[in-house]
Amino acid sequence: TKTVTDVICPFCGTLCDDLEVVVSDDGKELLEVYNACAIGAEKFLHSQAKERITRPRMRQEDGSWKEISYDEAVEYTARMLTDAKKPLMYGWSSTNCEAQSIGSEIGELVGAVMDNTATVCHGTSLIAVQDIGIPSCTLGEVKNRADRILFWGCNPAHAHPRHMSRYSIFPRGFFTGKGHTGRKVIVIDPRPTDTARMADVHLQVEQGRDYELLNALRVAFKGEQLPDVVAGIPKEQIYEAAETLKSGRFAIIFFGMGVTQSLGKNHNIDEAIAVTRDLNEYTKAAIMPMRGHYNVTGSGQVWGWQFGFPYAVDLSRGFARYNPGETTSNDLLRRDEVDAVFVLGSDPGAHFPFSSVKKIYDRPSVVIDPHETPTTEVCKVHVPVAFVGVEVGGCAYRMDNVPIETRKVIEPPEGVMTDEEFLDRVLERVREIKSE
Ligand code: SF4
């Protein structure tokens, strides 16, 4: 056997870069994964699953699958996209930037709506950043400098398990040599999560009242009067939390879907960014979204360069339009505005409301995914591909917008295409059909 070191984990936005993977001498079998958390290790090990699908399949009239060739899958996909008036090309968060870039080219040619998983996650954060900017930093700075850590509406103990040991609560950095003993951790969450249990202070905000509490923090920074209770939290606790944040040398606010997708949405994030800005009058402070999929950040980056917008990009009029609420996947599906669905690197079958999933089921659809997922169950064609970050490398962006080159550690099963190879073929075929 041989050990591949400095392997990048292609699961969550933490993109841990210190994994060690033991593979067989011929590079075909993956045997052990070290340093990863349970979900990260599972991603690597799952590539070895005996029941893994390795050939494209097409749904038959009776609901069963029929194996088809990659050529047939390319033809179906290219025809579906060119025949449609306004196809939706969704996902893009669990693949590399190279594939995202080819996907954008196809989207432009066929006049698609390009949307990624931010649409049901941190899209609201992106709107807030466009509204008022963002004072942010890298995870390296957090590790080396931050002594006040605030987790708002996120639960890294479960969703980003090594975030706390590598970057936020526990590591010893250049100016943070005492590790967790030199840091104060505040968690704001309606639920008593495992992250909250580790915190010095847990403010159990009432569900959906984050905006008020954020506002109250700004009042407390200035030492002005607060009502006795705000969002279920007694004012003494709010003054204390404000003082804790102000008295640090470097404060970081990490926030998750508890604030981005609850009442107030992007306005919550406007206010959280304003809290960070205010805090900079007393100390150094930064704020960062806890991005979920390992390369959802990269998808926003690639489309940012290419179209000027990070998600919900409607190319159907021949130029890029962006209007979340109108050009976002669920709104389009529910209003019957898209007539074909292409999914890559995401699982809307598991994450979209049932009413949207049903619309996917009713339309011509293709899903590109190494796994069998709830989405493969509702799509007409399923194209299995190699695992990015395991069987093929490529660029991914960590949650702090740092690009990291993922590594190939083993060979994909024989004949299985990569996302890039498949998209390249579809692009070529779309060009041919368009020129006919
Ligand atoms: Fe992978 Fe995230 Fe776990 Fe790190 S924390 S090993 S990136 S799943």
Side-chain angles (χ1 to χ4, degrees):
T1 62
K2 56 186 178 192
T3 303
V4 190
T5 56
D6 302 321
V7 175
I8 319 297
C9 172
F11 189 87
C12 85
T14 313
L15 272 184
C16 294
D17 54 8
D18 61 342
L19 273 49
E20 293 187 0
V21 180
V22 181
V23 299
S24 60
D25 285 325
D26 59 5
K28 287 192 175 154
E29 231 185 312
L30 190 153
L31 304 167
E32 285 285 357
V33 183
Y34 294 110
N35 298 346
C37 69
I39 42 180
E42 192 51 40
K43 171 117 189 214
F44 282 88
L45 296 170
H46 193 72
S47 67
Q48 304 300 295
K50 293 275 173 293
E51 68 278 15
R52 182 168 166 188
I53 311 281
T54 53
R55 289 292 170 267
R57 341 177 255 171
M58 184 180 276
R59 181 87 57 195
Q60 301 302 289
E61 286 286 323
D62 64 359
S64 63
W65 288 111
K66 178 182 162 232
E67 193 178 301
I68 57 172
S69 65
Y70 274 100
D71 289 345
E72 288 169 302
V74 168
E75 185 64 24
Y76 179 92
T77 310
R79 284 276 168 208
M80 178 190 86
L81 291 171
T82 46
D83 284 350
K85 269 199 183 138
K86 190 170 177 176
L88 171 65
M89 296 182 76
Y90 175 78
W92 307 105
S93 302
S94 288
T95 189
N96 53 28
C97 293
E98 291 82 349
Q100 290 162 353
S101 175
I102 305 168
S104 313
E105 238 177 303
I106 299 173
E108 237 178 311
L109 275 176
V110 301
V113 178
M114 307 294 292
D115 200 8
N116 58 36
T117 53
T119 205
V120 286
C121 191
H122 274 288
T124 52
S125 314
L126 298 165
I127 297 173
V129 173
Q130 288 156 347
D131 283 348
I132 61 170
I134 186 165
S136 200
C137 65
T138 63
L139 287 172
E141 281 180 274
V142 173
K143 172 184 170 179
N144 286 305
R145 294 178 185 276
D147 58 352
R148 298 291 184 269
I149 318 279
L150 170 55
F151 289 112
W152 199 310
C154 54
N155 184 15
H158 288 207
H160 302 81
R162 296 184 73 219
H163 186 280
M164 294 168 297
S165 58
R166 279 178 60 86
Y167 298 112
S168 46
I169 303 183
F170 299 107
R172 294 166 195 271
F174 197 81
F175 299 110
T176 50
K178 291 193 183 137
H180 79 280
T181 55
R183 294 190 175 97
K184 286 254 182 291
V185 179
I186 303 175
V187 168
I188 301 184
D189 202 306
R191 305 164 304 163
T193 60
D194 285 332
T195 308
R197 276 186 261 280
M198 274 190 263
D200 298 288
V201 180
H202 175 205
L203 301 183
Q204 205 161 356
V205 59
E206 272 176 27
Q207 175 84 42
R209 309 277 297 272
D210 302 271
Y211 189 90
E212 287 157 69
L213 186 58
L214 284 158
N215 226 302
L217 268 181
R218 297 181 68 191
V219 172
F221 288 154
K222 293 197 162 36
E224 307 218 352
Q225 281 303 314
L226 281 173
D228 289 345
V229 178
V230 179
I233 314 285
K235 68 176 178 188
E236 295 73 25
Q237 283 187 26
I238 300 173
Y239 284 122
E240 204 184 319
E243 221 28 68
T244 304
L245 290 169
K246 274 164 73 175
S247 63
R249 282 190 309 176
F250 188 120
I252 174 81
I253 301 175
F254 290 110
F255 64 99
M257 284 177 68
V259 244
T260 65
Q261 294 297 332
S262 60
L263 206 63
K265 292 203 166 183
N266 54 307
H267 299 295
N268 292 337
I269 314 309
D270 281 349
E271 199 59 18
I273 294 172
V275 164
T276 316
R277 212 171 46 197
D278 287 2
L279 203 48
N280 272 298
E281 286 177 24
Y282 309 96
T283 180
K284 169 83 186 147
I287 181 166
M288 193 185 299
M290 296 287 277
R291 306 303 300 268
H293 290 66
Y294 72 89
N295 198 25
V296 60
T297 311
S299 169
Q301 287 278 355
V302 169
W303 294 351
W305 311 322
Q306 296 185 332
F307 306 127
F309 307 110
Y311 77 112
V313 187
D314 181 349
L315 302 165
S316 64
R317 296 187 194 174
F319 57 92
R321 279 178 70 240
Y322 164 77
N323 191 17
E326 183 202 340
T327 58
T328 22
S329 302
N330 280 298
D331 302 279
L332 290 163
L333 284 165
R334 301 242 284 272
R335 286 198 310 261
D336 283 322
E337 278 187 34
V338 285
D339 50 356
V341 181
F342 171 98
V343 179
L344 186 148
S346 166
D347 188 7
H351 303 127
F352 278 11
F354 181 71
S355 50
S356 298
V357 178
K358 199 168 167 306
K359 301 284 182 169
I360 300 177
Y361 177 79
D362 291 339
R363 281 161 180 67
S365 51
V366 178
V367 55
I368 320 298
D369 202 307
H371 309 270
E372 279 185 277
T373 66
T375 306
T376 58
E377 291 315 295
V378 295
C379 281
K380 307 288 178 291
V381 168
H382 171 207
V383 184
V385 277
F387 282 60
V388 173
V390 181
E391 296 163 344
V392 57
C395 179
Y397 277 72
R398 206 166 62 183
M399 63 166 72
D400 54 355
N401 285 300
V402 171
I404 294 179
E405 195 65 22
T406 65
R407 299 189 66 177
K408 169 178 176 166
V409 288
I410 46 162
E411 291 296 330
E414 205 167 318
V416 169
M417 278 186 163
T418 64
D419 288 333
E420 279 175 82
E421 285 164 354
F422 184 75
L423 289 168
D424 255 334
R425 290 278 313 275
V426 172
L427 175 61
E428 193 186 324
R429 189 67 192 113
V430 164
R431 281 201 184 114
E432 278 169 18
I433 296 172
K434 286 271 173 194
S435 66
E436 271 164 16

